[in-house]
Amino acid sequence: GAQQAPAPLTISENKTGENVVLALPTYRAGREDVIFQESPEALARYLAQDAVAVPGLVAHVATRSPEALRWAARHSGLVQRQGSLRWREVEVLGASHPQEFAEFVRVFHIFRQAREERVADLERRRAPLAGLTPLELLAYASLYAFEHIVPAQLEVSEVDSERDTSLQVRWDAIEALVAWKLATSDARDFRLDDAVIGRSLRMHLMPFLLPSPQEPPRRDLYAAFSASVEAQAELNEFDSRSADAFSYDDDIRFVLRGTVLEIEEVDPEAKWHWRLGEEKRRRLHGYWLYRGMQAFAESPELVARINPANFDANALAMSKAMAAWLCLHEVYGVEAQIDAGGGIQVDVFNALMSIELMTAFYNSDFLLPFHDAMKQCGHPWPALGMLALSGFAQGENRMPVTWSDKAVKIARIAPWTATRERPQGHPRAAETILDFWTSDWEVLAARLRAGEAGLRPRLQELPILKLGRHLFQLPWMQALQDNRVAAINNLRRLGARRAGVGKETRRIEQRLGDLFSSRGFKVLAGHVLPVSQEEGAQAEEIDLLCARDGCLLVLEVKSTYVRRSMKDAWLHRTTTLRKAGTQLRRKVGAVRARLASDTELQRALDLAEDATPAVIGWIVDTSIECDRERFDGFLKIALEELLVALRDERHLLRGLSGLLRGEEPQPDPLYPQGFSAPGFIEVVESGAVWAGTA
């Protein structure tokens, strides 16, 4: 429950960066409404939590700044938290301040009713699944995926954003159902042996693949699962497209007409910008894949590791692993070895190579034979049955869900860790790779049942599922997922608190600085500006100072993970990037002031003492969200865009279609008259790297 906070209470920061302190029980007259008008995010963050209460604050701001309070209540996510203490403080304003808040509260009630209806529908539809174990739910999830997801992916070779979005909606719904099942499971559900696994799959999976009168398929449970996916997808879509859009999308407006909410577009181009961000992601995927292919072809050692029997598939897997490694190394500061915790070191490239070889295996030995069988059978169930029977004949598991003992799995992938010193591979290294990609479902289920806070790994981020002593994999998921994004989020989202993250952040700055140096810039990384006591400010550390041709770039570097939702993007915009703009404003000012008198700094940057350089500040971020927006007047740029611009590789962003057809990208120089700092700045400021992306 809420606790009355001791006075004074620090709420947040205002635009100047100074702490905002509200004294209790009275307020400094006129101060708080200035704060919330200039920085309503402060109030939004207060409303987004229940741990601390400031009695009378909401009512006071409602009187002085109703518009700021409405904005804050909307952007705090309260529409999804109408059982919270903070919402009750806002809800009563509908009666006490009807002109300003009565309709606003009605809008919230409409959202609540709509969501409750969808939640009730989902609970009704998934009720028949309550008696299933997590493994049995996976059996039905796999049947569903091979009917609704895999065929759609196999039939269309070109990128189709609408199809991909539709499939992702179903994928996300399956993931949510898995989380529900884990949260409601019993510890006994994870005590699996071969007999328990065989019994579960004989009842819930095999009758669909190889029908027999003795064990008819549980079509009722499959129908319940399919209906649950649709209901879960409807709830997810309501949350993301309606509730989250109401809370975090400032480019639309929800208007109440009678009892119906209608959406009006404030900025019709906003959706185009969002789609443009998705297109940039796809083009960057092609960029890294092309570079990975180049690096693989230029490495005789890697080529020699390929089994000639499956050369093309394994060569592509190696190229994808190299692409992911180059991205992690150059953009995210990852070294060859990382500490996975407990003193365990993981070879990053071998971990990437292993997951890509698994993906290649599931494509060649599962999805392609399934596709061929579908042409004969016309329906996924008999096609899966043919695939399973062919596996039985070869002594291999070709089921829609695969599993093995951990020791067997280690023995199978150990050869992938082979070195000159250990040509047979290293079992301990293989075990660390498996652990790197494994989600222990018994541990995760215990966390979910206890309601513990913390990130829940997505299936793609940790695709090897540990149930008891067995490791399970989903061929349909492993074959289709993006392992580069999975690796990034494994390290930067789930592993954000790893011991080595601080060093990786430093290396991001250093490696970007090295790239600037290769282009003739004088670079200072992590430079601290000494400030005298008379100047009355703290010393500023500048991530990167890059000078050339009378231009000085002041770069504020941020490193995060790959986001998927509008909510996450909005939070990134209003916290990390907003703060970065404030920091950069202060640092650019400090740099300008210091250059006027600091001859040592001028010499370090190779600037003439009597010259006044053009000082330009940029926010450089590893994520693509909010790309090319301005924060406190400063342009936010994706680090990968800078990398492409500095390497003059715009031609490698031309998309995957030509690359997959084996077409060599033709050079398209960004600097036809030669590289210069002003030319580089113009390329970045104009977005020339992305020319032709729209």
Side-chain angles (χ1 to χ4, degrees):
Q3 299 177 0
Q4 183 167 330
L9 171 68
T10 300
I11 296 293
S12 183
E13 295 180 343
N14 64 12
K15 279 196 170 182
T16 64
E18 65 190 65
N19 283 337
V20 174
V21 180
L22 301 180
L24 302 179
T26 59
Y27 310 99
R28 286 175 286 175
R31 174 63 172 155
E32 64 285 341
D33 31 303
V34 172
I35 292 169
F36 294 130
Q37 285 172 352
E38 291 190 352
S39 179
E41 291 93 345
L43 184 56
R45 284 192 286 275
Y46 168 72
L47 295 175
Q49 55 80 49
D50 279 344
V52 175
V54 184
L57 172 63
V58 168
H60 184 78
V61 178
T63 300
R64 303 295 294 270
S65 306
E67 184 176 352
L69 180 56
R70 287 194 299 269
W71 188 98
R74 176 183 168 190
H75 290 78
S76 67
L78 275 180
V79 73
Q80 294 277 57
R81 299 175 52 249
Q82 294 190 43
S84 74
L85 298 173
R86 299 290 82 78
W87 168 244
R88 293 174 197 169
E89 295 178 18
V90 175
E91 189 176 29
V92 298
L93 300 175
S96 61
H97 297 68
Q99 185 173 351
E100 296 88 357
F101 289 97
E103 182 172 306
F104 185 71
V105 169
R106 281 201 300 275
V107 168
F108 273 61
H109 288 169
I110 290 172
F111 270 103
R112 182 173 63 195
Q113 180 180 353
R115 192 175 196 279
E116 287 174 350
E117 290 172 356
R118 287 163 173 78
V119 169
D121 182 53
L122 172 60
E123 291 176 346
R124 178 177 59 83
R125 292 176 183 273
R126 73 186 180 193
L129 309 176
L132 297 178
T133 67
L135 172 58
E136 291 161 355
L137 190 81
L138 283 184
Y140 289 103
S142 297
L143 289 170
Y144 182 91
F146 275 100
E147 182 177 13
H148 296 286
I149 296 177
V150 173
Q153 290 282 30
L154 290 175
E155 290 298 333
V156 184
S157 58
E158 296 293 328
V159 172
D160 183 338
S161 59
E162 290 187 7
R163 186 201 75 239
D164 291 347
T165 299
S166 175
L167 295 178
Q168 188 63 53
V169 166
R170 288 175 167 171
W171 198 318
D172 291 344
I174 291 173
E175 194 168 82
L177 289 173
V178 167
W180 161 76
K181 175 52 62 178
L182 290 178
T184 57
S185 62
D186 189 276
R188 291 170 296 181
D189 294 335
F190 301 96
R191 296 169 191 163
L192 302 180
D193 56 28
D194 290 337
V196 172
I197 295 171
R199 187 164 56 249
S200 289
L201 297 185
R202 276 196 305 272
M203 179 181 296
H204 296 284
L205 184 59
M206 293 308 297
F208 289 90
L209 278 53
L210 303 169
S212 73
Q214 290 75 29
E215 292 189 69
R218 292 295 304 271
R219 297 187 184 279
D220 58 328
L221 290 177
Y222 180 69
F225 182 85
S226 299
S228 297
V229 170
E230 299 308 313
Q232 183 71 64
E234 171 64 25
L235 177 60
N236 290 352
E237 287 290 271
F238 173 81
D239 286 345
S240 63
R241 293 177 179 265
S242 296
D244 282 353
F246 172 79
S247 298
Y248 308 110
D249 189 350
D250 290 322
D251 300 311
I252 62 173
R253 177 172 56 239
F254 284 77
V255 179
L256 183 61
R257 292 191 171 94
T259 59
V260 178
L261 274 179
E262 295 183 3
I263 296 177
E264 291 183 353
E265 289 188 343
V266 177
D267 181 1
E269 293 187 0
K271 289 183 179 179
W272 177 82
H273 285 294
W274 185 266
R275 287 194 296 269
L276 183 59
E278 294 300 314
E279 177 62 20
K280 287 180 179 180
R281 284 191 180 91
R282 280 191 284 272
R283 291 186 180 273
L284 286 169
H285 178 77
Y287 170 83
W288 289 112
L289 182 55
Y290 185 85
R291 286 193 55 194
M293 287 177 168
Q294 283 184 316
F296 168 72
E298 295 167 1
S299 173
E301 181 180 351
L302 287 180
V303 174
R305 295 174 71 172
I306 297 291
N307 183 343
N310 299 301
F311 186 86
D312 288 345
N314 288 342
L316 180 58
M318 286 283 205
S319 297
K320 288 181 176 180
M322 182 57 74
W325 160 246
L326 290 172
C327 180
L328 285 171
H329 183 70
E330 296 180 14
V331 178
Y332 293 91
V334 174
E335 288 283 69
Q337 299 272 338
I338 61 168
D339 186 349
I344 298 174
Q345 296 291 312
V346 176
D347 184 296
V348 177
F349 179 75
N350 276 344
L352 295 168
M353 180 186 67
S354 297
I355 203 71
E356 289 294 356
L357 287 173
M358 290 179 196
T359 292
F361 167 73
Y362 284 119
N363 269 295
S364 64
D365 285 47
F366 281 79
L367 263 59
L368 294 181
F370 168 76
H371 189 238
D372 292 339
M374 274 282 288
K375 293 177 181 177
Q376 299 179 46
C377 304
H379 192 276
W381 307 157
L384 287 172
M386 289 179 62
L387 184 58
L389 286 174
S390 69
F392 295 152
Q394 302 169 42
E396 297 287 348
N397 186 336
R398 296 295 183 268
M399 302 274 280
V401 180
T402 66
W403 68 95
S404 65
D405 185 88
K406 185 176 182 180
V408 173
K409 195 73 173 177
I410 289 172
R412 177 162 288 194
I413 73 168
W416 299 348
T417 66
T419 62
R420 292 178 182 175
E421 297 76 20
R422 303 183 74 115
Q424 302 304 313
H426 197 313
R428 180 57 176 155
E431 184 177 11
T432 62
I433 288 170
L434 284 177
D435 291 342
F436 179 78
W437 292 111
T438 295
S439 174
D440 188 327
W441 271 18
E442 185 172 7
V443 173
L444 177 59
R447 258 185 50 208
L448 293 173
R449 284 196 301 271
E452 292 180 8
L455 295 173
R456 172 170 57 86
R458 298 181 182 121
L459 288 175
Q460 299 98 319
E461 292 168 345
L462 297 177
I464 300 175
L465 314 173
K466 183 176 183 291
L467 285 79
R469 63 182 180 85
H470 289 83
L471 300 179
F472 289 78
Q473 286 179 274
L474 306 174
W476 54 273
M477 184 186 74
Q478 188 70 71
L480 299 175
Q481 75 171 43
D482 186 335
N483 291 319
R484 182 176 67 91
V485 172
I488 292 169
N489 282 0
N490 189 330
L491 293 172
R492 302 299 300 188
R493 192 179 83 90
L494 299 178
R497 297 181 183 274
R498 289 178 296 112
V501 170
K503 292 181 180 179
E504 288 172 6
T505 301
R506 285 294 185 194
R507 285 195 292 268
I508 293 170
E509 299 165 7
Q510 292 164 1
R511 287 171 185 166
L512 182 58
D514 290 343
L515 197 53
F516 272 98
S517 295
S518 72
R519 280 297 195 174
F521 284 86
K522 290 291 184 180
V523 176
L524 296 178
H527 181 73
V528 178
L529 290 180
V531 180
S532 66
Q533 292 182 352
E534 289 76 17
E535 289 173 302
Q538 297 295 318
E540 295 286 4
E541 180 176 333
I542 316 296
D543 292 340
L544 283 175
L545 289 169
C546 308
R548 177 183 157 158
D549 302 334
C551 300
L552 176 59
L553 294 171
V554 183
L555 305 184
E556 181 74 14
V557 181
K558 299 298 179 185
S559 60
T560 52
Y561 58 93
V562 180
R563 291 171 183 78
R564 295 173 52 195
S565 73
M566 184 182 302
K567 176 182 178 180
D568 287 346
W570 185 86
L571 291 172
H572 186 51
R573 172 188 285 114
T574 57
T575 54
T576 302
L577 296 179
R578 178 177 173 273
K579 183 178 180 181
T582 301
Q583 292 172 325
L584 194 52
R585 171 68 60 191
R586 192 168 61 243
K587 292 177 182 182
V588 166
V591 168
R592 285 197 175 109
R594 199 72 196 178
L595 281 174
S597 59
D598 192 335
T599 56
E600 185 177 340
L601 179 60
Q602 293 168 355
R603 285 194 296 270
L605 293 170
D606 200 19
L607 296 171
E609 292 185 20
D610 57 347
T612 303
V615 182
I616 298 167
W618 289 337
I619 301 166
V620 182
D621 187 16
T622 58
S623 71
I624 204 80
E625 285 79 22
C626 313
D627 202 34
R628 310 200 63 75
E629 294 183 23
R630 289 189 178 270
F631 296 86
D632 232 334
F634 297 104
L635 185 66
K636 180 270 180 190
I637 311 157
L639 192 149
E640 288 165 288
E641 178 181 346
L642 279 193
L643 188 149
V644 172
L646 287 166
R647 292 173 59 96
D648 198 3
E649 291 178 331
R650 174 170 61 179
H651 58 294
L652 302 187
L653 286 168
R654 292 303 186 230
L656 284 172
S657 299
L659 179 62
L660 296 176
R661 290 194 297 267
E663 298 174 359
E664 190 73 17
Q666 297 302 308
D668 182 19
L670 289 163
Y671 316 102
Q673 307 303 319
F675 185 91
S676 68
F680 168 72
I681 292 168
E682 171 61 24
V683 161
V684 173
E685 295 274 356
S686 67
V689 160
W690 302 110
T693 301

